[in-house]
Each structure stands twice: as C-alpha cells, then as structure tokens.
Amino acid sequence: MEAERGKVWLRPPRNALDQRVVGWWRLQGTLFWGAPVLVLVVLGLLIAPVRFWLLTPAAVFAALGLVWVIAMPLWWFKVHRWEVTETAVYARSGFFWQEWRVAPMSRIQTVDTLRGPLQQVFKLATVTVTTASARGAVKIRGLDHELAASLAEQLTETTQATPGDAT
C-alpha cells in the first residue's frame, strides 16, 4: 500500500486486463502452432514415402498447440494485472517467471500506445511506459483501446505535473 504520499511500494496491481485479450492470445497461439502443423500436413499429403514422418509430428504439434491455445490464455489472464496511482504505474505479467514492475511517475519519459492488426480486430491496445530503467519499458498489453488512449493521456498529464527529471 501507499502509506505515505510520494512513496512507491511493490505490491500486486489491482486491475485485470480486458477479457477480449483471451481471444487475442488464442488467435496468436493458433497462428503460431497452426503454421508448422499446416506445412507438415501439406508436405505429408504430397510426399507419400515420408508421410508417416511428417504427419506424426504434425499430430504432436497440433495436440500441444491445442492444449496451449486452451490453457495458456486463461492462465495469463489470471496473472496479468496493472494499475496506475498518483505515484506510479504497476504491472505484473508472465507465466512461470512472473515479473512485477513499478514505474514511478517521476521516472516516466514517454507514454505510447500500440494497436497491431490483431489487436485492432479485438479492439485492444498496448500501453508502453518508457523510463530510464535498464530493464526497459513497462508494457500493459490487452487493454480496451479507448481505455488505453485515456490512460496514455492521463499518464502524460500526470508525469508533466510530477517533479523530477525522469532519468
């Protein structure tokens, strides 16, 4: 908790991502796993002498991909969290190795939003908060695109009004 004004504490962020992020992650997973499966199946059907050696890995990849596409997005949705307070931006992400990041307002240098083609389909966006940290920017993926734009505007106004040199 923020016990004193101006102090930043490492704590779990409170906000979940937009639920549409599960569909976005599932589509990404389907494309990732589906491409090699499709190539192996097509080659297996075209090249009869090695059909078994191509269709077997295709089946294994398809099974692994199906498990991934069903389970991983649900797990990530439970883990990924974000929050913005008067003093900092909080983000938690990851799977086995979970990363918690805190960016104090006084250290924020830029705030950007990104909407890739698949994110546009799902009406989602990513907010990137760049600081002087060697660890890199804090990214909040999977926000509603209108919320992301509003958040970027809010962070820009807050960081301009926050004393500090952002270095």
Side-chain angles (χ1 to χ4, degrees):
M1 286 196 173
E2 295 180 60
E4 299 174 35
R5 185 167 175 81
K7 296 257 183 177
V8 177
W9 305 92
L10 184 61
R11 60 174 178 72
R14 294 186 178 114
N15 302 321
L17 301 177
D18 190 286
Q19 288 186 336
R20 290 173 289 184
V21 75
V22 173
W24 176 49
W25 286 331
R26 283 192 170 147
L27 182 56
Q28 286 179 313
T30 300
L31 294 173
F32 177 82
W33 289 94
V37 169
L38 182 62
V39 169
L40 289 169
V41 167
V42 168
L43 290 175
L45 295 174
L46 294 175
I47 309 170
V50 292
R51 184 167 289 146
F52 174 81
W53 300 107
L54 293 170
L55 294 181
T56 301
V60 170
F61 273 48
L64 290 173
L66 183 62
V67 170
W68 190 97
V69 165
I70 291 170
M72 292 300 292
L74 294 175
W75 176 259
W76 285 342
F77 185 75
K78 290 179 182 179
V79 171
H80 289 223
R81 294 283 181 266
W82 69 278
E83 184 177 358
V84 173
T85 68
E86 291 180 12
T87 57
V89 175
Y90 296 84
R92 183 178 70 188
S93 62
F95 178 60
F96 289 120
W97 289 270
Q98 292 182 13
E99 179 179 55
W100 292 22
R101 302 280 309 273
V102 178
M105 290 296 178
S106 63
R107 297 293 187 190
I108 295 175
Q109 295 176 326
T110 62
V111 179
D112 304 298
T113 60
L114 171 72
R115 294 186 68 210
L118 294 179
Q119 285 179 306
Q120 290 178 40
V121 169
F122 286 92
K123 297 183 179 176
L124 298 172
T126 297
V127 173
T128 302
V129 178
T130 306
T131 67
S133 168
R135 185 75 176 128
V138 174
K139 293 187 178 191
I140 306 170
R141 294 176 176 90
L143 296 177
D144 174 80
H145 70 100
E146 291 176 358
L147 174 62
S150 172
L151 184 61
E153 184 178 331
Q154 173 194 346
L155 286 171
T156 301
E157 290 172 4
T158 303
T159 54
Q160 286 178 343
T162 301
D165 62 359
T167 58

